[in-house]
Amino acid sequence: MDPIVAGEPPSGPYAAALEFLYGRINYERSLRMPYGAGVLKLDRMRRLLEELGSPHQELNFVHVAGTKGKGSTSAMTAAVLTAAGYRTGLFSSPHLFRVEERVAIDGVSCSPERLAELVEIVRPVVEWLDAQGEESDLRSPTYFEVLTAMALVDFARQGVDAAVLEVGLGGRLDSTNVVTPRTALITSISYDHTRQLGNTLELIAREKAGIVKPQVPTVSGVGEPTARAAICEICRERRAPLIELNVEFKAEYHAPARLDLADQCPTIDFHYDDGAGKTHLADVELGLVGQHQAANAAVAIAALVQLRRQGWDLPEAAIRRGLAQVRWPARIEVISRQPTVVVDAAHNVASVVALLQALEESFVARRRTLLFATSSDKDAPGMLRELLPHFERVVMTRFLSNPRAQSPESLVACAAELGRSDCLAVADPLAAWRTARESLDPADLLCVTGSFFIAAEIQAEFNGRPIQIPGSLV
C-alpha cells in the first residue's frame, strides 16, 4: 500500500458506498475529459432528481460558477449564511481527502454513516437508469451527477434554509444547473479546461454564464472585456439583473505583512452602489489571503446584498463574522513555520499569478523552494513561466491519486525550454517532499502548488491522515 494513503481501510456500508460511487463514470479522473450535450445531459440529471422526489424544488439556492475562486466564494457565502443563523448546505468540489467533504452543512462535512445512507437512497434509481436500453439518453449517471443528487437529497432531508452549489465544470451543462437559484455568481474567467469549454475567454464565459436564469440577479467578478461582454449579453437576453465588480461594487484589499511569522487576517473595504441603495463595510477581516480573495469576498458580499433585498436577515455582524471565520484548505494555506510551508491548489496561469502576488505581499523569505506537480491537461509551460523566476530551488514531482498526472521528467524538460536547467525530477511525491525540505533554514519558504491532488497528498503526509484513491478504497 502506498504510504500516502496508508490507514485502516473502510468497511461495512461505508466501504460499499465508496465502491458504488467509484464504480461510476468519473470524468475527474479521465485523461480525456469529454464535454458537450452528447455526454453531459441535464435531462438525465432532471430525471434522476424526479425519481428521487425532486428534492431541489423546495430549496433556496445560491449557484456559483467561475474559472477560479468559485470554491472560496462558495465557502464565504455559506459561512455568512450560517453566521446569520440560517441552516446552510454547501456542495463543493473537488475534495482533498474524503469524498464526504463535498457535502457540508453549517461547515461540518457529511459523516461516513450519512454518506452510506445517501448512497442507499440514490442507488435504486441510478441502477434503474443504468438498466435503460442502449438507445436511452438517460442511462448511466456519472460520479459527479450521483454526488450532486446525493447532496440535494441530503439538504432536503436535513431541512437547510439555503444551499450553496459550486459548479463542477463549466456551467451550462454542469449537473448543478438544474436549479433556479435566488442569485447566481460568476467569480472570474480565465483559461482552463480549454478543450472542453473553448479556447477563447468569450467562449469560456458563455459556458460559465449558462447558470444565468431569467430574472435572477447575477453577480459577476469578471473584468476581462470580451468575457464581460459575453456575460452582459446573456444577462440581457434572459432579463437577469447584472451586478458587476468595479461597476456596482468594489473592494480594497489590505494585505497582512508577515504571514511567515504568525497568523494575521487581511482586511477589505467594501463599497456597493447600484443606484437603488448603498452599502459600505470598512475593515472587514477575511480568513483567506490574497488580492484574489478580496475580489471573491466582494462577489460574495454583493450576492448577500441581493439576498438581503429579497428579505433575508443578513446583518453586518454576520457578514463580518462569517468572512473572518471561513477557512478553505489549500488556498495559500500555511501549514508550518520556521521554515514556512505554503500549500496552494493553483492549477492555471491566473491562479499562479494570484499566488505569487500573495507571496510577495505577505511573506518574507531568505530563500524559496518550489515543489510542483500538475495534470497533463493543464498549461504547465504557462504556469512555470510565471513561477520559475521566483524560486531558487525547484523540485518537480507527480501525484499518485489521479492518473492525469504529468511526469516530473516532462516538467523538468519544460523548465529547461524556459531557460531553467537546475530543476530536479523526483517521481515519488513523498521523496520529493523530503528533497524539497532538505537544507531549509528557519527563514526559508517552501511552496507546494500546481494541483489540488499534490496539495492533498502533501497535506495528507504532513498531517498523517489518509486520503481516498478510487480502486484502493483507503
Side-chain angles (χ1 to χ4, degrees):
M1 183 182 296
D2 192 282
I4 285 177
V5 295
E8 289 297 322
S11 59
Y14 179 54
L18 294 179
E19 184 176 6
F20 172 77
L21 288 173
Y22 289 140
R24 308 307 304 171
I25 297 170
N26 186 353
Y27 293 126
E28 293 178 13
R29 295 178 55 79
S30 174
L31 296 174
R32 291 190 176 182
M33 184 187 302
Y35 189 81
V39 177
L40 305 179
K41 299 179 183 297
L42 292 185
D43 286 345
R44 180 172 58 211
M45 189 68 205
R46 293 188 183 102
R47 185 59 182 274
L48 175 58
L49 291 174
E50 180 183 337
E51 295 296 328
L52 290 167
S54 300
H56 59 305
Q57 295 290 6
E58 304 301 322
L59 296 173
N60 297 300
F61 292 102
V62 175
H63 202 186
V64 186
T67 303
K68 65 184 185 72
K70 62 183 185 293
S72 299
T73 304
S74 297
M76 291 178 186
T77 305
V80 171
L81 288 165
T82 293
Y86 292 103
R87 187 163 171 77
T88 304
L90 173 62
F91 178 60
S92 61
S93 61
H95 61 273
L96 280 187
F97 306 112
R98 290 284 189 259
V99 67
E100 51 266 36
E101 296 166 19
R102 300 187 185 212
V103 183
I105 294 178
D106 290 338
V108 179
S109 296
C110 175
S111 68
E113 294 77 16
R114 200 161 91 232
L115 183 85
E117 291 175 7
L118 292 170
V119 165
E120 288 310 302
I121 291 171
V122 303
R123 183 200 295 264
V125 176
V126 172
E127 291 177 343
W128 177 77
L129 290 172
D130 285 345
Q132 302 304 300
E134 289 289 340
E135 71 282 358
S136 174
D137 288 341
L138 302 179
R139 65 190 307 273
S140 300
T142 68
Y143 170 78
F144 192 79
E145 289 168 343
V146 173
L147 283 174
T148 303
M150 288 168 54
L152 297 179
V153 167
D154 191 44
F155 296 157
R157 293 177 77 215
Q158 300 292 328
V160 302
D161 302 305
V164 181
L165 300 186
E166 178 191 353
V167 166
L169 173 67
R172 180 175 64 93
L173 296 174
D174 189 77
S175 64
T176 62
N177 200 29
V178 294
V179 307
T180 300
R182 294 288 185 172
T183 183
L185 288 65
I186 304 173
T187 59
S188 68
I189 301 295
S190 56
Y191 290 104
D192 201 8
H193 297 296
T194 53
R195 294 178 186 173
Q196 293 80 24
L197 305 181
N199 58 5
T200 69
L201 295 180
E202 178 186 356
L203 290 173
I204 295 170
R206 290 186 177 278
E207 290 295 326
K208 305 286 186 183
I211 71 167
V212 175
K213 301 297 190 299
Q215 301 181 347
V216 173
T218 298
V219 178
S220 172
V222 176
E224 196 281 329
T226 59
R228 183 183 166 210
I231 293 168
C232 288
E233 179 185 338
I234 290 172
C235 286
R236 262 194 320 271
E237 291 172 352
R238 299 177 188 177
R239 298 183 180 179
L242 177 61
I243 303 95
E244 296 183 277
L245 180 65
N246 295 324
V247 179
E248 284 82 13
F249 67 97
K250 64 180 180 179
E252 299 159 7
Y253 179 69
H254 308 291
R258 293 295 304 272
L259 285 176
D260 52 302
L261 297 179
D263 288 334
Q264 305 167 56
C265 282
T267 63
I268 63 168
D269 297 329
F270 175 81
H271 309 270
Y272 184 105
D273 183 359
D274 64 355
K278 295 183 180 181
T279 299
H280 173 64
L281 301 174
D283 296 322
V284 178
E285 290 189 353
L286 301 183
L288 301 176
V289 176
Q291 290 275 359
H292 59 302
Q293 297 294 7
N296 293 335
V299 170
I301 299 172
L304 294 162
V305 170
Q306 301 309 305
L307 293 179
R308 183 188 281 174
R309 290 183 177 180
Q310 296 173 30
W312 293 65
D313 183 16
L314 297 167
E316 178 179 328
I319 294 174
R320 290 181 177 275
R321 187 164 61 252
L323 292 177
Q325 292 176 346
V326 71
R327 297 294 183 270
W328 204 231
R331 273 70 171 186
I332 311 182
E333 184 177 5
V334 180
I335 63 172
S336 73
R337 291 185 172 89
Q338 295 189 329
T340 301
V341 179
V342 176
V343 177
D344 188 76
H347 55 276
N348 67 9
V349 173
S351 54
V352 160
V353 170
L355 165 63
L356 289 171
Q357 183 177 15
L359 292 179
E360 291 299 321
E361 289 174 334
S362 297
F363 295 85
V364 174
R366 184 181 67 84
R367 183 178 56 164
R368 293 183 176 184
T369 297
L370 173 67
L371 177 58
F372 184 82
T374 196
S375 299
S376 56
D377 58 339
K378 300 301 181 182
D379 181 9
M383 288 189 282
L384 290 174
R385 187 176 291 110
E386 299 292 338
L387 287 164
L388 292 175
H390 297 272
F391 294 89
E392 286 79 16
R393 295 175 64 230
V394 178
V395 180
M396 305 294 192
T397 188
R398 59 173 297 152
F399 40 82
L400 302 179
S401 52
N402 191 295
R404 289 161 50 200
Q406 192 161 336
S407 74
E409 292 78 15
S410 66
L411 294 174
V412 166
C414 178
E417 291 178 2
L418 294 170
R420 186 71 181 263
S421 59
D422 61 342
C423 302
L424 297 176
V426 183
D428 178 80
L430 297 190
W433 166 243
R434 291 190 291 269
T435 298
R437 295 171 67 190
E438 287 175 357
S439 305
L440 288 181
D441 291 332
D444 293 346
L445 179 143
L446 167 60
C447 181
V448 181
T449 194
S451 169
F452 277 99
F453 304 113
I454 192 62
E457 292 183 8
I458 295 304
Q459 285 208 4
E461 169 66 11
F462 183 82
N463 296 320
R465 60 184 298 184
I467 62 174
Q468 291 167 358
I469 294 181
S472 67
L473 293 186
V474 296

